[in-house]
mmCIF file of all heavy atoms in Angstrom:
data_model
loop_
_atom_site.group_PDB
_atom_site.id
_atom_site.type_symbol
_atom_site.label_atom_id
_atom_site.label_comp_id
_atom_site.label_asym_id
_atom_site.label_seq_id
_atom_site.Cartn_x
_atom_site.Cartn_y
_atom_site.Cartn_z
ATOM 1 N N GLU A 111 1.177 -20.473 -34.749
ATOM 2 C CA GLU A 111 1.283 -20.847 -36.103
ATOM 3 C C GLU A 111 0.813 -19.743 -37.076
ATOM 4 O O GLU A 111 1.401 -19.467 -38.111
ATOM 5 C CB GLU A 111 0.376 -22.110 -36.424
ATOM 6 C CG GLU A 111 0.985 -23.353 -35.794
ATOM 7 C CD GLU A 111 2.450 -23.584 -36.267
ATOM 8 O OE1 GLU A 111 2.663 -23.751 -37.453
ATOM 9 O OE2 GLU A 111 3.292 -23.805 -35.284
ATOM 10 N N ASP A 112 -0.229 -19.108 -36.676
ATOM 11 C CA ASP A 112 -0.599 -17.845 -37.284
ATOM 12 C C ASP A 112 0.359 -16.737 -37.431
ATOM 13 O O ASP A 112 0.659 -16.052 -38.424
ATOM 14 C CB ASP A 112 -1.876 -17.364 -36.861
ATOM 15 C CG ASP A 112 -3.092 -18.250 -36.966
ATOM 16 O OD1 ASP A 112 -3.519 -18.607 -38.077
ATOM 17 O OD2 ASP A 112 -3.518 -18.806 -35.775
ATOM 18 N N ALA A 113 1.091 -16.638 -36.183
ATOM 19 C CA ALA A 113 2.139 -15.631 -36.208
ATOM 20 C C ALA A 113 3.234 -15.899 -37.118
ATOM 21 O O ALA A 113 3.817 -14.973 -37.771
ATOM 22 C CB ALA A 113 2.731 -15.398 -34.622
ATOM 23 N N LYS A 114 3.649 -17.186 -37.220
ATOM 24 C CA LYS A 114 4.673 -17.538 -38.115
ATOM 25 C C LYS A 114 4.338 -17.442 -39.662
ATOM 26 O O LYS A 114 5.049 -17.008 -40.373
ATOM 27 C CB LYS A 114 5.072 -19.052 -37.835
ATOM 28 C CG LYS A 114 5.831 -19.284 -36.708
ATOM 29 C CD LYS A 114 6.682 -20.592 -36.750
ATOM 30 C CE LYS A 114 5.848 -21.706 -36.319
ATOM 31 N NZ LYS A 114 6.559 -23.009 -36.088
ATOM 32 N N ARG A 115 3.022 -17.556 -39.808
ATOM 33 C CA ARG A 115 2.576 -17.531 -41.121
ATOM 34 C C ARG A 115 2.383 -15.982 -41.679
ATOM 35 O O ARG A 115 2.626 -15.713 -42.722
ATOM 36 C CB ARG A 115 1.072 -18.189 -41.194
ATOM 37 C CG ARG A 115 0.388 -18.202 -42.565
ATOM 38 C CD ARG A 115 -0.587 -19.340 -42.529
ATOM 39 N NE ARG A 115 -1.457 -19.361 -41.335
ATOM 40 C CZ ARG A 115 -2.879 -19.222 -41.389
ATOM 41 N NH1 ARG A 115 -3.435 -19.052 -42.654
ATOM 42 N NH2 ARG A 115 -3.605 -19.339 -40.442
ATOM 43 N N TRP A 116 1.990 -15.098 -40.674
ATOM 44 C CA TRP A 116 1.629 -13.768 -41.182
ATOM 45 C C TRP A 116 2.526 -12.683 -40.560
ATOM 46 O O TRP A 116 2.205 -11.457 -40.810
ATOM 47 C CB TRP A 116 0.218 -13.524 -40.825
ATOM 48 C CG TRP A 116 -0.842 -14.255 -41.586
ATOM 49 C CD1 TRP A 116 -0.778 -14.729 -42.858
ATOM 50 C CD2 TRP A 116 -2.149 -14.571 -41.110
ATOM 51 N NE1 TRP A 116 -1.813 -15.257 -43.276
ATOM 52 C CE2 TRP A 116 -2.764 -15.297 -42.274
ATOM 53 C CE3 TRP A 116 -2.953 -14.392 -39.958
ATOM 54 C CZ2 TRP A 116 -4.129 -15.733 -42.141
ATOM 55 C CZ3 TRP A 116 -4.278 -14.906 -40.000
ATOM 56 C CH2 TRP A 116 -4.730 -15.524 -41.002
ATOM 57 N N SER A 117 3.491 -13.016 -39.887
ATOM 58 C CA SER A 117 4.366 -11.909 -39.317
ATOM 59 C C SER A 117 5.743 -12.267 -39.131
ATOM 60 O O SER A 117 6.154 -13.570 -39.236
ATOM 61 C CB SER A 117 3.850 -11.532 -37.885
ATOM 62 O OG SER A 117 4.087 -12.594 -36.786
ATOM 63 N N ASN A 118 6.642 -11.394 -38.850
ATOM 64 C CA ASN A 118 8.022 -11.605 -38.616
ATOM 65 C C ASN A 118 8.223 -11.558 -37.057
ATOM 66 O O ASN A 118 7.413 -11.049 -36.382
ATOM 67 C CB ASN A 118 8.858 -10.436 -39.181
ATOM 68 C CG ASN A 118 8.786 -10.548 -40.803
ATOM 69 O OD1 ASN A 118 8.905 -11.652 -41.323
ATOM 70 N ND2 ASN A 118 8.532 -9.268 -41.356
ATOM 71 N N PRO A 119 9.304 -12.237 -36.583
ATOM 72 C CA PRO A 119 9.629 -12.083 -35.095
ATOM 73 C C PRO A 119 9.652 -10.517 -34.657
ATOM 74 O O PRO A 119 9.956 -9.646 -35.544
ATOM 75 C CB PRO A 119 10.873 -12.735 -34.995
ATOM 76 C CG PRO A 119 11.108 -13.727 -36.142
ATOM 77 C CD PRO A 119 10.367 -12.889 -37.272
ATOM 78 N N MET A 120 9.305 -10.311 -33.429
ATOM 79 C CA MET A 120 9.423 -8.926 -32.851
ATOM 80 C C MET A 120 10.758 -8.456 -32.986
ATOM 81 O O MET A 120 11.729 -9.224 -32.826
ATOM 82 C CB MET A 120 8.968 -8.901 -31.402
ATOM 83 C CG MET A 120 7.528 -9.538 -31.115
ATOM 84 S SD MET A 120 6.188 -8.831 -31.981
ATOM 85 C CE MET A 120 6.239 -7.271 -31.335
ATOM 86 N N SER A 121 10.943 -7.200 -33.373
ATOM 87 C CA SER A 121 12.214 -6.586 -33.517
ATOM 88 C C SER A 121 12.891 -6.471 -32.032
ATOM 89 O O SER A 121 12.189 -6.219 -31.052
ATOM 90 C CB SER A 121 12.302 -5.259 -34.276
ATOM 91 O OG SER A 121 11.374 -4.465 -33.648
ATOM 92 N N THR A 122 14.058 -6.586 -32.016
ATOM 93 C CA THR A 122 14.851 -6.529 -30.692
ATOM 94 C C THR A 122 16.113 -5.670 -30.740
ATOM 95 O O THR A 122 16.614 -5.471 -31.815
ATOM 96 C CB THR A 122 15.244 -7.900 -30.127
ATOM 97 O OG1 THR A 122 16.369 -8.362 -30.970
ATOM 98 C CG2 THR A 122 14.044 -8.827 -30.122
ATOM 99 N N ILE A 123 16.510 -5.187 -29.640
ATOM 100 C CA ILE A 123 17.739 -4.388 -29.414
ATOM 101 C C ILE A 123 18.375 -5.055 -28.316
ATOM 102 O O ILE A 123 17.927 -4.920 -27.142
ATOM 103 C CB ILE A 123 17.604 -2.925 -29.107
ATOM 104 C CG1 ILE A 123 16.569 -2.289 -30.185
ATOM 105 C CG2 ILE A 123 18.857 -2.226 -28.992
ATOM 106 C CD1 ILE A 123 15.962 -0.999 -29.697
ATOM 107 N N PRO A 124 19.629 -5.624 -28.282
ATOM 108 C CA PRO A 124 20.297 -5.981 -29.525
ATOM 109 C C PRO A 124 19.542 -6.928 -30.382
ATOM 110 O O PRO A 124 18.600 -7.540 -30.039
ATOM 111 C CB PRO A 124 21.706 -6.565 -29.151
ATOM 112 C CG PRO A 124 21.830 -6.057 -27.583
ATOM 113 C CD PRO A 124 20.437 -5.941 -27.120
ATOM 114 N N GLU A 125 19.931 -7.096 -31.677
ATOM 115 C CA GLU A 125 19.150 -7.907 -32.533
ATOM 116 C C GLU A 125 19.299 -9.297 -32.308
ATOM 117 O O GLU A 125 20.375 -9.793 -31.770
ATOM 118 C CB GLU A 125 19.683 -7.636 -34.036
ATOM 119 C CG GLU A 125 19.220 -6.319 -34.605
ATOM 120 C CD GLU A 125 19.649 -6.016 -36.067
ATOM 121 O OE1 GLU A 125 20.075 -6.940 -36.635
ATOM 122 O OE2 GLU A 125 19.564 -4.907 -36.498
ATOM 123 N N GLY A 126 18.332 -10.100 -32.634
ATOM 124 C CA GLY A 126 18.482 -11.517 -32.603
ATOM 125 C C GLY A 126 18.105 -12.282 -31.334
ATOM 126 O O GLY A 126 18.395 -13.298 -31.086
ATOM 127 N N TRP A 127 17.534 -11.485 -30.356
ATOM 128 C CA TRP A 127 17.090 -12.165 -29.010
ATOM 129 C C TRP A 127 15.705 -11.986 -28.755
ATOM 130 O O TRP A 127 15.200 -11.265 -27.896
ATOM 131 C CB TRP A 127 17.889 -11.412 -27.872
ATOM 132 C CG TRP A 127 19.374 -11.793 -27.908
ATOM 133 C CD1 TRP A 127 20.331 -11.218 -28.510
ATOM 134 C CD2 TRP A 127 20.030 -12.798 -27.228
ATOM 135 N NE1 TRP A 127 21.539 -11.839 -28.353
ATOM 136 C CE2 TRP A 127 21.430 -12.874 -27.427
ATOM 137 C CE3 TRP A 127 19.512 -13.775 -26.226
ATOM 138 C CZ2 TRP A 127 22.380 -13.740 -26.885
ATOM 139 C CZ3 TRP A 127 20.415 -14.644 -25.590
ATOM 140 C CH2 TRP A 127 21.754 -14.579 -25.992
ATOM 141 N N GLY A 128 14.884 -12.644 -29.602
ATOM 142 C CA GLY A 128 13.417 -12.477 -29.470
ATOM 143 C C GLY A 128 12.793 -13.594 -30.234
ATOM 144 O O GLY A 128 13.351 -14.527 -30.772
ATOM 145 N N GLY A 129 11.352 -13.498 -30.249
ATOM 146 C CA GLY A 129 10.520 -14.448 -31.079
ATOM 147 C C GLY A 129 9.320 -13.716 -31.554
ATOM 148 O O GLY A 129 9.302 -12.495 -31.659
ATOM 149 N N TYR A 130 8.338 -14.628 -31.933
ATOM 150 C CA TYR A 130 7.131 -14.014 -32.526
ATOM 151 C C TYR A 130 6.236 -13.573 -31.384
ATOM 152 O O TYR A 130 6.425 -13.819 -30.283
ATOM 153 C CB TYR A 130 6.309 -15.193 -33.265
ATOM 154 C CG TYR A 130 7.005 -15.580 -34.598
ATOM 155 C CD1 TYR A 130 8.035 -16.660 -34.512
ATOM 156 C CD2 TYR A 130 6.805 -14.958 -35.749
ATOM 157 C CE1 TYR A 130 8.718 -16.965 -35.674
ATOM 158 C CE2 TYR A 130 7.368 -15.410 -36.932
ATOM 159 C CZ TYR A 130 8.419 -16.347 -36.851
ATOM 160 O OH TYR A 130 8.992 -16.746 -38.036
ATOM 161 N N CYS A 131 5.169 -12.817 -31.764
ATOM 162 C CA CYS A 131 4.241 -12.113 -30.753
ATOM 163 C C CYS A 131 3.449 -13.175 -29.995
ATOM 164 O O CYS A 131 3.135 -12.933 -28.887
ATOM 165 C CB CYS A 131 3.362 -11.274 -31.529
ATOM 166 S SG CYS A 131 2.185 -12.068 -32.738
ATOM 167 N N LEU A 132 3.297 -14.367 -30.568
ATOM 168 C CA LEU A 132 2.672 -15.512 -29.818
ATOM 169 C C LEU A 132 3.785 -16.644 -29.761
ATOM 170 O O LEU A 132 4.426 -16.918 -30.843
ATOM 171 C CB LEU A 132 1.431 -15.996 -30.543
ATOM 172 C CG LEU A 132 0.239 -15.085 -30.553
ATOM 173 C CD1 LEU A 132 -0.707 -15.447 -31.654
ATOM 174 C CD2 LEU A 132 -0.483 -15.115 -29.173
#
Side-chain angles (χ1 to χ4, degrees):
Chain A
E111 290 306 307
D112 298 293
K114 281 201 277 192
R115 184 156 48 122
W116 288 334
S117 71
N118 297 312
M120 305 303 294
S121 58
T122 67
I123 309 164
E125 285 184 12
W127 288 84
Y130 290 91
C131 61
L132 291 160

